[in-house]
Amino acid sequence: MDIIKIFAPATVANVSCGFDALGFAINAVGDEMVLTKTEEKGVRISKIEGADLTNNIKHNAASVVALAMLHKIKADFGIDIQLIKKVKPGSGLGSSASSAAGAAFAVNELLGKPFTKLELTEFARIGEEVACGSPIADNVAAAIYGGFILVKSYKPLEIIKLPVPKNLWVAVIHPQIEVKTEDARNVIKKDIPIVDAVAQSANLAGLISGLYTDDYQLISRSIVDVIAEPYRKFLIPHFDEVKQEGLKAGALGIGISGSGPSIFALCKGENDAKKVAQAMREVYQNSTIDFNIYVSKVNTEGVKIL
Ligand code: HSE
């Protein structure tokens, strides 16, 4: 194989109760990438469409991953990358993760698949570190594995793929403002009161239990974030209103997608997801901020060949 075109899904990290530990991929939006083998060694980025990102190969989330993989395998060829960004940087939908996970998956295919998904996740974390200052795994693992994933441990990296209830849908509103992950991480308190740690871990356990047992009500009661949301919500205009109206319209739970500003709503079934999306839309329609809305099933396959 000398050329490959792939789709790398957008992702929702944290899912309220799983800060840096939980994530899922969505079907409705994702990046496209074309990677081509070149005779000349090394990596180059020949096209970036849809976002104002650097094509400096040492600073771009996709090229640093490709470079690391080629270096590791001592490849005797190089790679040209074309990025068609549909997941906007600073959206909270795992934009750098789509680039990094997409590059990891595609380079692995061009190399003849020498690496496991876990190893690809490790490589993709290099892209996350370059793009947002921390090698967080929740978004990249969700993009690579698809479905819901749990980052059970960072050292050593352990990823657990979780089941996705059949009728679980998501509505996402992406207000067109940029929140930098680094800034959103800086507003969170570094010390957590024990009562909050207990609540957060109990909700995470509740959510995972709900995913395994298809218990939508338990999922609903578990979408609670006492660690990040209370501090981050001030970075997102109308967050409380969107949450209130979305819940009134039937969402199981609503929270900040990753580091924001996107807001996700988990819903039972497509109809509820559409109603919730409409309620979220009405809040933002009355504001001066542009927005995009996605209604989607949870993506279960992760990065795929187009
Ligand atoms: N878990 C990360 C955060 C996701 O919330 O900061 C951002 O990429």
Side-chain angles (χ1 to χ4, degrees):
M1 187 189 286
D2 290 331
I3 180 165
I4 182 168
K5 184 173 185 187
I6 57 108
F7 169 85
T11 46
V12 170
N14 302 337
V15 205
S16 292
C17 51
F19 184 73
D20 279 359
L22 205 61
F24 66 84
I26 62 177
N27 266 339
V29 58
D31 289 348
E32 287 173 18
M33 296 170 73
V34 180
L35 278 80
T36 315
K37 278 187 186 173
T38 58
E39 272 178 30
E40 194 187 334
K41 284 193 188 177
V43 174
R44 67 169 185 243
I45 301 173
S46 60
K47 172 169 146 182
I48 301 178
E49 202 180 284
D52 185 18
L53 292 172
T54 178
N55 61 4
N56 179 324
I57 56 158
K58 294 208 172 112
H59 298 290
N60 179 285
S63 50
V64 289
V65 172
L67 272 173
M69 293 172 75
L70 292 182
H71 180 74
K72 175 91 184 174
I73 217 102
K74 297 187 178 67
D76 60 356
F77 60 90
I79 285 181
D80 174 90
I81 300 177
Q82 296 180 39
L83 271 169
I84 301 120
K85 293 293 298 173
K86 306 223 169 131
V87 190
K88 297 288 173 219
S91 61
L93 291 170
S95 178
S96 50
S98 299
S99 298
F105 175 93
V107 173
N108 193 43
E109 295 287 323
L110 292 177
L111 290 170
K113 296 198 204 179
F115 298 112
T116 64
K117 282 190 176 174
L118 189 66
E119 288 167 330
L120 296 184
T121 307
E122 286 282 25
F123 281 118
R125 289 176 67 199
I126 301 170
E128 280 292 59
E129 177 148 38
V130 160
C132 53
S134 318
I136 318 157
D138 48 6
N139 285 110
V140 284
I144 287 171
Y145 286 77
F148 273 84
I149 58 86
L150 173 71
V151 184
K152 162 70 183 66
S153 121
Y154 271 82
K155 268 185 191 165
L157 186 67
E158 185 180 352
I159 305 293
I160 302 198
K161 194 164 155 83
L162 303 167
V164 182
K166 267 207 189 76
N167 214 10
L168 196 60
W169 281 70
V170 60
V172 175
I173 184 159
H174 169 208
Q176 307 283 298
I177 53 166
E178 188 175 341
V179 172
K180 290 208 159 59
T181 298
E182 207 168 343
D183 298 339
R185 291 180 85 75
N186 284 335
V187 300
I188 298 172
K189 278 198 193 157
K190 298 287 172 285
D191 297 310
I192 298 162
I194 195 144
V195 58
D196 289 344
V198 170
Q200 195 88 355
S201 48
N203 281 319
L204 179 56
L207 176 55
I208 291 176
S209 174
L211 293 175
Y212 272 98
T213 55
D214 281 11
D215 185 337
Y216 291 90
Q217 283 319 309
L218 178 56
I219 292 171
S220 176
R221 293 195 302 280
S222 306
I223 306 276
V224 180
D225 174 9
V226 295
I227 287 181
E229 185 179 299
Y231 307 102
R232 284 182 166 176
K233 68 177 185 174
F234 300 107
L235 304 172
I236 306 169
H238 312 297
F239 176 80
D240 284 332
E241 223 178 321
V242 167
K243 186 164 175 171
Q244 187 183 317
E245 295 306 314
L247 288 172
K248 233 194 269 171
L252 296 170
I254 293 192
I256 301 171
S257 176
S259 51
S262 291
I263 303 169
F264 77 93
L266 282 180
C267 303
K268 185 173 180 185
E270 184 175 10
N271 269 350
D272 277 11
K274 283 186 173 160
K275 277 191 219 152
V276 170
Q278 181 56 23
M280 293 166 130
R281 173 179 286 118
E282 280 166 18
V283 172
Y284 265 89
Q285 255 164 1
N286 296 325
S287 81
T288 51
I289 301 168
D290 280 343
F291 59 89
N292 282 330
I293 299 241
Y294 306 106
V295 173
S296 177
K297 276 210 105 160
V298 173
N299 166 299
T300 49
E301 52 184 342
V303 185
K304 65 174 183 193
I305 300 176
L306 288 177

